[in-house]
Amino acid sequence: MKKLGFFLLLFCVINSFAQDSTYTRGIINTLTSKAFWGRGYTKDGMKKAGDYIAVAYQKIGLVPMGTAYKQTFSFPVNTFPGKMMVTINGEKLIPGKDFIVNNESPGIKQIAQLTPVDSLHFQVKPSIQVLLKDKLTWSVATEVGDITTIQLNKKSLNTLPKKISVDIENKFIPDFQAANICGLVKGTQYADSLLIITAHYDHLGGMGATTYFPGANDNAAGVATLLSLAKYYAANPQPYSIGFICFAAEEAGLIGSGYFVENPLVPLGNIKFLINLDLVGTGESGMTVVNASVYPKAFAQLNAINNEHHYIPKINQRGKAANSDHYFFTEKGVPAFFIYTQGGPSAYHDIFDKPETLPLTKYKDLFKLIVGFNQKLMK
């Protein structure tokens, strides 16, 4: 009876935390707000987000993983802090909606006639190339190229581009300052053994002075889920220590996680398993686990829990992939899964990845699945 009572109590506790979607929504709304400017490289967006998460750690009751919550580092990045004007055939285009400038582009101010290369490619030698696209997808560059590349949304054009007027300002920062935010809940029995939950908090930032990329699914949802789990584990310490790392500079090439692995705040050999959360704001079509085929026993345990409780409609397995912050840990021998969900809005690396259209369909079930999986790992 005592054992049954314990599991009933545990179920109620997990359920109450998993139901706390108001807290999760609040975090997503905050991190995607204009004040955080896409958690990127202009208007102090990434710094503001890092400060916010560090304060959240403190409020939750996490202790720093090292001497402080922040693990600082620097790297080069190309930014677009100011002018962002493109006119095609005399019609002024809207940044983000009608066009994007490729992330490695230098700034430029020019009026010129465009020469067609093919039906989707136009140029002004040697300074500008224009590409017609069905979808505009932005990114981050750590260097500056020789030519300004502008992607145009085909739906925004009534005729082929013939004349271009462009005024774009870039600023290359050779030593942009960033920080991973690292905390933990100490274990009650085996404090040196760790389970780690990670999520990157950076996104693409702003493209010009008036356009930013909110990054609701990528990856405010992952950070919000991580902080919700941190609340749960702070209130319910486990036999193992549970660590939480919000990485910076994932969008710039997994730079934050790479830095942590080379400068670990805990011995990597003490990490028994790591779960990386990225793009977890949907789930009606299921979820995918990267490294599932690398760690088949752990994947079987995850599936067994899901089959018993019917949390996620389908769990797909993938092999090894260098597509998020789990990667460098795996390369160093740390067992890790990268989890992302499917379904819902198709917005990705564009201005339409907004909180108001993010369904959080399987947030509560994913929360329960992760807690159940971590319980198995500690047995």
Side-chain angles (χ1 to χ4, degrees), residues 255-334:
I255 293 174
S257 54
Y259 184 85
F260 184 96
V261 165
E262 294 303 322
N263 304 271
L265 299 178
V266 294
L268 296 181
N270 289 4
I271 302 175
K272 304 308 177 186
F273 212 91
L274 182 148
I275 296 174
N276 180 50
L277 303 172
D278 195 357
L279 302 164
V280 293
T282 61
E284 53 264 52
S285 299
M287 76 182 207
T288 296
V289 177
V290 173
N291 276 351
S293 60
V294 181
Y295 305 104
K297 182 180 176 182
F299 185 64
Q301 289 178 316
L302 185 74
N303 261 312
I305 296 164
N306 192 61
N307 290 338
E308 181 181 353
H309 297 283
H310 308 290
Y311 290 137
I312 308 297
K314 182 182 180 183
I315 301 182
N316 306 299
Q317 65 171 314
R318 280 187 65 177
K320 183 177 174 181
N323 55 353
S324 194
D325 288 314
H326 65 288
Y327 176 71
F328 290 116
F329 288 91
T330 304
E331 289 295 281
K332 291 286 188 177
V334 176

Side-chain angles (χ1 to χ4, degrees), residues 122-307:
F122 304 80
Q123 66 182 11
V124 179
K125 285 186 175 182
S127 53
I128 301 171
Q129 68 172 340
V130 171
L131 307 175
L132 303 189
K133 296 286 185 177
D134 291 315
K135 183 192 180 303
L136 302 180
T137 303
W138 211 42
S139 190
V140 179
T142 56
E143 58 187 11
V144 182
D146 298 323
I147 187 169
T148 300
T149 300
I150 297 164
Q151 297 184 32
L152 302 182
N153 185 346
K154 288 198 289 189
K155 301 181 187 70
S156 300
L157 300 178
N158 295 318
T159 60
L160 291 177
K162 296 178 181 178
K163 184 178 181 181
I164 187 169
S165 175
V166 57
D167 191 357
I168 292 171
E169 176 189 355
N170 85 304
K171 181 181 179 182
F172 181 72
I173 304 174
D175 56 349
F176 182 84
Q177 302 295 308
N180 299 322
I181 317 300
C182 314
L184 58 82
V185 177
K186 288 187 177 179
T188 57
Q189 295 181 44
Y190 311 104
D192 289 338
S193 296
L194 291 112
L195 301 178
I196 302 285
I197 298 167
T198 67
H200 75 89
Y201 70 91
D202 65 301
H203 193 52
L204 307 177
M207 192 186 77
T210 60
T211 301
Y212 75 97
F213 295 75
N217 194 31
D218 187 14
N219 186 35
V223 173
T225 304
L226 178 148
L227 290 175
S228 296
L229 287 161
K231 276 183 71 179
Y232 167 75
Y233 284 118
N236 301 275
Q238 301 294 303
Y240 287 13
S241 293
I242 313 292
F244 301 89
I245 310 172
C246 288
F247 290 115
E250 190 268 357
E251 302 288 12
L254 313 182
I255 293 174
S257 54
Y259 184 85
F260 184 96
V261 165
E262 294 303 322
N263 304 271
L265 299 178
V266 294
L268 296 181
N270 289 4
I271 302 175
K272 304 308 177 186
F273 212 91
L274 182 148
I275 296 174
N276 180 50
L277 303 172
D278 195 357
L279 302 164
V280 293
T282 61
E284 53 264 52
S285 299
M287 76 182 207
T288 296
V289 177
V290 173
N291 276 351
S293 60
V294 181
Y295 305 104
K297 182 180 176 182
F299 185 64
Q301 289 178 316
L302 185 74
N303 261 312
I305 296 164
N306 192 61
N307 290 338

Side-chain angles (χ1 to χ4, degrees), residues 334-345:
V334 176
F337 282 163
F338 161 32
I339 292 173
Y340 60 94
T341 56
Q342 281 95 32

Side-chain angles (χ1 to χ4, degrees), residues 97-115:
K97 177 179 177 290
D98 297 329
F99 79 93
I100 59 170
V101 56
N102 277 23
N103 49 314
E104 76 283 355
S105 296
I108 191 171
K109 184 174 183 179
Q110 188 173 355
I111 299 174
Q113 294 295 127
L114 287 162
T115 302

